Amino acid sequence: MADIADMKMISRRSFIKGVIASGAAVSSANYLFRASALQGQSRAAGTGERLITINVNGQQRRVDVMKQETLAWTLRYKLGLTGTKLGCDRAECGSCTVLIDDVPHYSCSVLAHTVRNRKVVTIEGLARADGTLHPVQQGIVEEQGFQCAFCMSGFIMATVGFLKTNPNPTRSELAHGISGNLCRCQDYDKILSATMRGAEIMRRANRV
Ligand code: FES
Ligand code: FES
């Protein structure tokens, strides 16, 4: 019995570790539907695209954007950075959170053309080039912080942004700091334990 529990734990841990750096989890069926629907809307709007350069995860990315196009849309469907999730698409859930100049933003509510000359970081940009996870990601792996993980990348980005302003928060300070993010599985207690662990790992890493 203990062996089966251990195997389940190891397999869940491996799964989370495998997807956590890219934020790539969860069924894509909903996205496919949403993508075609939104693309239809975009074409119907009939607005021209404009070539702009956005600094994403330290790289200058050239991309054609429409004037009404959101950053979430550009990241996911034009730059292939699907770790940024679209949940509500109306500034309510936080699934789409990215950092813009180190500050967490709902990318579904930011127009892509407004981030020219600004620094955008998505979940794909957190781990080091050698694959070492960001401390907050490592905390999630160690504490098994999420159930379906749809909300995970948004929570991680919100936490990373919050810890830049308060690297040593109390549990309630961190809860308040990331309260703009919602979890449909209502896994808040575990999420908070995991993100607190991430903060602790980050403080330890900064000391060495
Ligand atoms: S998808 Fe942006 S806040 Fe919900
Ligand atoms: S873990 Fe499922 S939505 Fe948060």
Side-chain angles (χ1 to χ4, degrees):
M1 204 58 179
D3 286 350
I4 292 172
D6 285 350
M7 281 172 61
K8 278 186 179 162
M9 179 63 84
I10 289 165
S11 121
R12 177 169 163 72
R13 192 177 293 268
S14 310
F15 170 74
I16 290 177
K17 200 165 182 178
V19 300
I20 206 163
S22 64
V26 189
S27 162
S28 62
N30 207 17
Y31 288 142
L32 292 175
F33 171 77
R34 182 189 291 277
S36 52
L38 288 178
Q39 239 161 10
Q41 282 176 27
S42 302
R43 286 197 197 101
T47 52
E49 295 189 335
R50 180 180 295 177
L51 185 62
I52 65 168
T53 303
I54 307 177
N55 185 311
V56 184
N57 299 330
Q59 293 185 326
Q60 296 292 101
R61 304 288 304 266
R62 298 280 281 165
V63 59
D64 285 315
V65 302
M66 293 166 289
K67 66 180 179 186
Q68 77 276 26
E69 184 172 312
T70 66
L71 179 58
W73 175 270
T74 307
L75 291 171
R76 286 186 53 80
Y77 302 115
K78 292 193 173 166
L79 298 180
L81 297 170
T82 54
T84 298
K85 304 301 181 200
L86 266 173
C88 65
D89 205 12
R90 50 192 281 181
E92 287 178 357
C93 72
S95 304
C96 62
T97 304
V98 299
L99 300 185
I100 301 175
D101 292 341
D102 287 342
V103 177
H105 285 268
Y106 295 155
S107 62
C108 72
S109 303
V110 173
L111 293 175
H113 71 81
T114 65
V115 299
R116 276 182 291 189
N117 305 318
R118 301 178 74 186
K119 202 177 68 176
V120 178
V121 178
T122 69
I123 188 77
E124 292 90 345
L126 287 187
R128 289 200 205 130
D130 66 0
T132 306
L133 294 178
H134 184 283
V136 174
Q137 293 174 306
Q138 188 58 40
I140 306 294
V141 170
E142 292 181 13
E143 290 288 333
Q144 306 275 294
F146 292 83
Q147 287 188 39
C148 77
F150 184 89
C151 64
M152 181 177 67
S153 44
F155 267 100
I156 290 174
M157 299 313 294
T159 303
V160 170
F162 178 76
L163 293 177
K164 287 178 185 291
T165 61
N166 182 356
N168 191 11
T170 63
R171 196 175 170 90
S172 69
E173 283 170 343
L174 183 55
H176 187 259
I178 59 176
S179 59
N181 288 63
L182 303 178
C183 171
R184 290 185 297 194
C185 302
Q186 302 195 19
D187 213 10
Y188 295 110
D189 193 50
K190 273 168 61 187
I191 290 172
L192 212 44
S193 296
T195 47
M196 283 297 282
R197 172 76 77 101
E200 183 192 326
I201 296 170
M202 198 165 84
R203 286 194 299 278
R204 273 204 317 258
N206 289 341
R207 250 185 259 140
V208 288

